[in-house]
Each structure stands twice: as C-alpha cells, then as structure tokens.
Amino acid sequence: AGDDFFGPKRWRVRTFAIAGTWLALVAYSVLLAPGKSPEERAADQALLERILSTPFDGSVNPLFCCIFNMLGIWPMIYAATLLPGSDRQSPAPAVPFVAGSFFLGAFALSPYLALREHRAVAGESGQLDWATSNILENRLTAVALLAFAAYLALFALGNGVIGGFSPNEAFAGFLPVFGSSLTAHVSSIDFMVLWMLFGPVLLEDGRRRGVFLGNFDSWSSGDKAQFAISAFVPVFGGLAWLLSRPPLPSQRS
C-alpha cells in the first residue's frame, strides 16, 4: 500500500517531514506551551477578546497584534499558491484544509501539505474554480493584502504609532506576553511554521507557471533573487510573489 501511495507525485521525505512538524506543533502546544494555569487562562481569554474587538487601541502589544493579524494573511497566500494545483487532489481535497487554516493556521493546513500530490509541471493547474480564477489570481487581491500587511508592520515597528520607530520597545513588550499567554505563544509559533513550510509551495506554484524550472544552479539571477525574497521574507515575500508571478498558462490571453 505504501508503494502505491508514494511515488513521483508524493515523496516519503516530504510527507514524513511535514507530518512530523505537525505532530511536534500539536504536541508542543498541548504539553509544553505556557499559559495553562487558571490565572493565565483568564488573562489569555481577556487578551483574545481584546485582540478580536479592539486590536489597535493600544491595549494589546503591537507586535503580537501584527503577528496575530498576519495569521489571516498567510492563509490567503497559501490559498493563492495551493488552489491552482488542487484540482482532483488525492487523497484529500484542498478546500477544507485551506479554509481551516484561516482559523487554525498550520494546525489545519499541515496535514494537507503532507498528503497532497506534487503538481509542478508547467500548465498542470487543472480546472480553476471561480474564486481562484477571479480573486486569488487577481493582483488587486495581492495589493489589498500588501496594504494591510504594511499597516500591521508599521503599527508594530512604531509600537502602536504609525510613523514611529520603536521596535525595541515593541519586542520588549511582546516577550512577557509570549512567555505567559497560550494564544500569543502558539500563534507566534504557528506563524513561524507557516513561514517555514512556504518555500516548497512557492517552488511548485512557480513551476506550474513556467519559472524556477530545472536545478537551482540553472536559474537566472532574477529567478534566484525572486525565489529568495519570496521564500525567506515572511508574508511580504509571499505577497511579492503574488504581485509579480506570471499568470497560469490557462489564464494567458
């Protein structure tokens, strides 16, 4: 059965590495993450209520506010890079996992990344649904996401003041929250895991569009720079890719 499941489109190393990452994330969050005492849980609940109701009024650390809200941007980036290769995915459909990532981040998305088939042949995007074709492939969506991400970054860098520059104060205020709040702690790690898992998804999306083909050494300097920025700069790199990537062959007029 294993030989039937694994093959050119599903690799053991990738599947087991992502599955292991997911299991480690779940185990750490349940067993080792801070913020589980009754007092910490009460404070955590209050923090969650504030960040959902009044995130920008100064009652929540601006750096955590940035991270938490960017967890809503990451799923859009993943949706835009995964759904073009999701037609007839086996053994699990993409949409439930991608939709779940808007609420649970890598906790919901990682199983799909582990199980999905690799779709990296130029033109191998399959049938696109309306939302993918008209929203996720639309650069205006990326522009709107970039504007929101820029606002969040400026808010964090200014420690709650747009136009200010107090990253040290923002980070100093973030550390106690990270160390005592389950929501802040797990959300921050979730952000890092989504960042870590994006590179292979980016590579596959690029190859479906006719770029990043062949070995890394054969890429042009422009492709190398584009991949490095898109993969290694969190959120903004992914958004830069959505703004600059070529259209799918099926979308070209």
Side-chain angles (χ1 to χ4, degrees):
D3 292 337
D4 294 334
F5 184 75
F6 294 106
K9 290 193 174 184
R10 189 180 291 106
W11 310 321
R12 281 182 172 84
V13 172
R14 186 187 72 170
T15 295
F16 291 139
I18 297 175
T21 300
W22 178 73
L23 289 172
L25 177 64
V26 172
Y28 178 82
S29 301
V30 172
L31 301 175
L32 299 175
K36 296 190 176 74
S37 72
E39 296 80 9
E40 288 171 329
R41 286 183 181 275
D44 197 52
Q45 180 63 33
L47 173 66
L48 189 58
E49 290 173 359
R50 290 198 304 273
I51 202 168
L52 291 176
S53 60
T54 55
F56 303 111
D57 69 348
S59 63
V60 178
N61 172 261
L63 179 54
F64 173 56
C65 181
C66 174
I67 292 170
F68 186 85
N69 281 280
M70 282 189 174
L71 285 174
I73 299 176
W74 266 128
M76 287 294 294
I77 295 171
Y78 271 98
T81 48
L82 285 171
L83 293 183
S86 67
D87 187 35
R88 298 185 301 278
Q89 267 288 354
S90 172
V95 171
F97 295 92
V98 173
S101 70
F102 283 90
F103 303 95
L104 297 172
F107 291 90
L109 190 63
S110 299
Y112 175 70
L113 296 179
L115 293 172
R116 65 189 295 272
E117 291 182 351
H118 188 68
R119 301 272 179 88
V121 176
E124 191 182 44
S125 57
Q127 187 71 30
L128 300 183
D129 58 38
W130 184 91
T132 301
S133 180
N134 293 279
I135 298 176
L136 299 177
E137 290 289 322
N138 192 327
R139 282 186 170 83
L140 291 178
T141 302
V143 170
L145 292 171
L146 181 61
F148 183 46
Y151 176 83
L152 293 172
L154 290 172
F155 185 75
L157 285 172
N159 196 29
V161 178
I162 299 296
F165 188 75
S166 305
N168 291 336
E169 289 84 348
F171 186 69
F174 170 73
L175 288 178
V177 180
F178 178 78
S180 62
S181 165
L182 180 64
T183 296
H185 195 90
V186 173
S187 295
S188 301
I189 294 173
D190 187 21
F191 180 97
M192 298 297 291
V193 172
L194 289 169
W195 180 16
M196 179 181 71
L197 296 177
F198 181 61
V201 175
L202 165 69
L203 179 64
E204 185 177 328
D205 188 53
R207 288 180 170 173
R208 280 195 299 268
R209 299 166 192 274
V211 296
F212 308 144
L213 301 176
N215 295 325
F216 180 79
D217 291 339
S218 68
W219 295 2
S220 68
S221 57
D223 281 352
K224 290 178 180 178
Q226 184 177 37
F227 183 85
I229 292 170
S230 299
F232 299 124
V233 178
V235 175
F236 288 96
L239 294 175
W241 169 247
L242 298 188
L243 282 169
S244 62
R245 64 182 179 174
L248 292 162
S250 61
Q251 299 289 98
R252 295 170 189 169
S253 55

